[in-house]
Amino acid sequence: MKIALASPLYPASIYDAIKQLQTLVEDAARQKAAIICFPETYIPGYPLDLENVKKTSPEVLKDALQKACEIARANSIAIILPMDWYEDENFLNVAFVISGKGNVAGYQPKVQLDPSEDNVWVAGKGRQLFEVQDLKFGIAICHEGFRYPETVRWAARQGASIVFHPHFAGSDTEGIELKEWGNAGNPYYEKAMMMRSIENTIYFASVNYATRFQESATSLISPDGKCIAWQLYGKAGILVADIEPELATGRLAKRLKINYT
């Protein structure tokens, strides 16, 4: 199965986000990908200033989701679309799963917020497994996959072949320009990606924005912890790669003696 991982530029607006989404989805569909994943809160864009967040209205977010559903249906490709969302009175950080027919299969909320995000979103509840063309997968959002390995292990123990990991790490204004994937001097993020795959014996697909000072690359890691492919730092576009779900046995995850619920 082919999967696509999107590395868009940080969106200037929701209109720009949808425009980039359409271009990247069409590219993935041309390359026969079955599913494409976007970075964390791609709509309206991960807040660059967590102390002063202007929340997008529910109506605008619903309209954006509908447009994404139309794009998925037009291109017959499933989309993992991370975005802000309102559930009752709660403002959540979620990742929607949209089928290739344009139907919303549900969403995974971010359950483990970074401490810096406590004043922005409400922590969600529960974890879900999703399925596209017989591919079972889970979703762990940013901080969850980097610092809470239980989120990925839960999915592996439930039969997921891959966990998608939308995140944001980097800046367009300041930082160090990375050159080599997994370099010892890089931030720890890419090492964590390797661990999430090898400790669970499944694929791990980590997705980041293309910024000038990226702190981690959009990457696909194999069940044995090797980096199969990665998108060059700062280069917008998509990473399309083949996976073999039968190689993702989840063997190590399933040998865990403690049952997490």
Side-chain angles (χ1 to χ4, degrees), residues 152-153 156 160-162 194-204 221-225 244-255:
V152 179
R153 178 147 288 177
S161 297
I162 185 170
M194 295 171 65
M195 290 306 303
R196 296 300 85 81
S197 65
I198 197 169
E199 70 196 6
N200 293 297
T201 334
I202 63 170
Y203 288 96
F204 191 75
I221 315 299
S222 68
D224 61 358
E244 299 177 63
E246 64 274 13
L247 299 181
T249 63
R251 181 172 180 267
L252 292 179
K254 293 169 184 175
R255 286 176 58 83

Side-chain angles (χ1 to χ4, degrees), residues 3 5 7 163 165 167 181 190 193 204-208 216-221 227-231 233 239:
I3 66 167
L5 309 180
S7 294
V163 167
H165 179 235
H167 71 282
W181 193 94
E190 291 161 356
M193 297 175 194
F204 191 75
S206 196
V207 187
N208 194 11
S216 58
T218 290
S219 312
L220 177 62
I221 315 299
C227 181
I228 296 173
W230 59 284
Q231 181 80 349
Y233 303 111
L239 180 67

Side-chain angles (χ1 to χ4, degrees), residues 15-37:
Y15 172 81
D16 178 51
I18 294 296
K19 186 178 179 182
Q20 288 193 71
L21 183 141
Q22 180 165 0
T23 298
L24 296 172
V25 166
E26 290 174 349
D27 191 3
R30 280 193 296 270
Q31 297 187 55
K32 308 299 183 185
I35 187 169
I36 181 171
C37 181

Side-chain angles (χ1 to χ4, degrees), residues 124-140:
K125 296 180 181 179
R127 309 213 69 81
Q128 294 190 59
L129 217 59
F130 301 91
E131 190 168 340
V132 168
Q133 295 184 19
D134 296 326
L135 176 69
K136 292 182 179 180
F137 62 91
I139 300 171

